[in-house]
Structure formats: C-alpha cells, structure tokens
Amino acid sequence: MGELTHFDAKGDAHMVDVGAKASTKRIARARGEIHMAPATFALVKAGSARKGDVIGVARIAAIMAAKRTSDLVPLCHPIALTRVAVDFELDEAASRVICVAQCECNGQTGVEMEALTSVQVGLLTVYDMLKAVDRGMVMTAIGLLEKDGGKSGHWLREGGI
C-alpha cells in the first residue's frame, strides 16, 4: 500500500504538487448501478417518466459532473478533460440501470475522481427523476474499473465490484 499523498509531514491536508510530473495521456473508467422496483424500471425503459428522458438527462448530468469535480472534491486539481463518455445499460432482469463513465485528459494527474464523480452524479440524477414513484431505489457497486497513464501506469480491477 502506498503512502497518503494528501497530507504533509505535519499531517495537515494539502493539495498535491503535480508540477514535476510528466504530462501523459490519462484515462479512467468507473461504474455504478441503481436498483429500483420493476414498475419504475419499466418507466425508464419506455421513456415515459413524468420528468422526461431519464437516461438522456442523467448522461448530461454525469458529463457536467466530471467537468466540475474539482469544485466538489476539495483537494482535486482542476483538469482540462479531453473526453467524457457516459453509457447506461438497462438490466431488466435485475431492475437496475448501470452507468459506466470514461474520462480522459493529457495532463499531470489522473482522472479517477472525475470518472467516479461522473458515475455517482449520473445515478443521483436517475434517482432524482424517479423519486416521485420510487423512494426505495439503491445506488450500489460504485467503483473504479480501470486507469491508465502516469507513473503508476495501467491498473485494471480484477473481478467485480
């Protein structure tokens, strides 16, 4: 296990200095899911939720969230993202919606936090748009799938979340 980088020698929180790091292509993919009642899932699948296109709105929210991560997570660096792709999979058998976000940049720090933030806000938006009919929805299995770039190179999750 590596050392915690967001604390200085005195133990105070600080933003990591990435100035000496090489600028490289960096990619991160994250996923999560939201489980709901079968009747709620049917609204999503049919596109007939009262608030409109649940998946379309959630995709835009997820993209916006990736762009605003440094405003939400105090010690994250602002990153010039070069790409944010968000996909949703409808799993009718499990009455769940799966969100996968991929963030990319050319920079001195990774985009893991942007990918994770994207997924979580995408799922929160699904919840927000459907909460009038199903307050029992549960967001789960949120985690990093893969990251590439920088000194630590490539990392791929083994097994499921």
Side-chain angles (χ1 to χ4, degrees), residues 39-102:
T40 309
F41 182 85
L43 292 174
V44 175
K45 184 177 177 188
S48 59
R50 286 187 68 198
K51 289 188 177 181
D53 178 9
V54 173
I55 300 302
V57 173
R59 179 174 290 108
I60 296 300
I63 292 167
M64 290 175 65
K67 293 169 26 176
R68 301 296 302 265
T69 299
S70 66
D71 292 336
L72 301 169
V73 182
L75 300 178
C76 278
H77 291 83
I79 293 177
L81 293 166
T82 56
R83 181 172 185 253
V84 178
V86 181
D87 293 310
F88 288 89
E89 176 187 334
L90 303 181
D91 180 357
E92 188 167 13
S95 295
R96 70 180 176 167
V97 175
I98 300 164
C99 177
V100 176
Q102 180 165 316

Side-chain angles (χ1 to χ4, degrees), residues 23-44:
S23 185
T24 63
K25 172 95 174 161
R26 295 167 187 264
I27 300 169
R29 282 187 318 114
R31 78 169 302 278
E33 53 195 55
I34 185 166
H35 296 257
M36 59 195 67
T40 309
F41 182 85
L43 292 174
V44 175

Side-chain angles (χ1 to χ4, degrees), residues 96-159:
R96 70 180 176 167
V97 175
I98 300 164
C99 177
V100 176
Q102 180 165 316
C103 294
E104 301 178 16
C105 77
N106 293 303
Q108 296 169 296
T109 188
V111 288
E112 296 96 319
M113 295 304 296
E114 288 71 14
L116 287 162
T117 300
S118 178
V119 165
Q120 294 192 41
V121 170
L123 296 175
L124 283 169
T125 301
V126 171
Y127 185 96
D128 180 51
M129 295 190 69
L130 298 169
K131 70 182 183 271
V133 296
D134 186 357
R135 294 195 190 277
M137 291 176 282
V138 175
M139 289 162 270
T140 184
I142 297 165
L144 187 66
L145 295 175
E146 181 177 16
K147 61 97 35 207
D148 196 21
K151 186 173 74 173
S152 60
H154 186 249
W155 178 86
L156 181 65
R157 178 175 294 281
E158 301 283 331

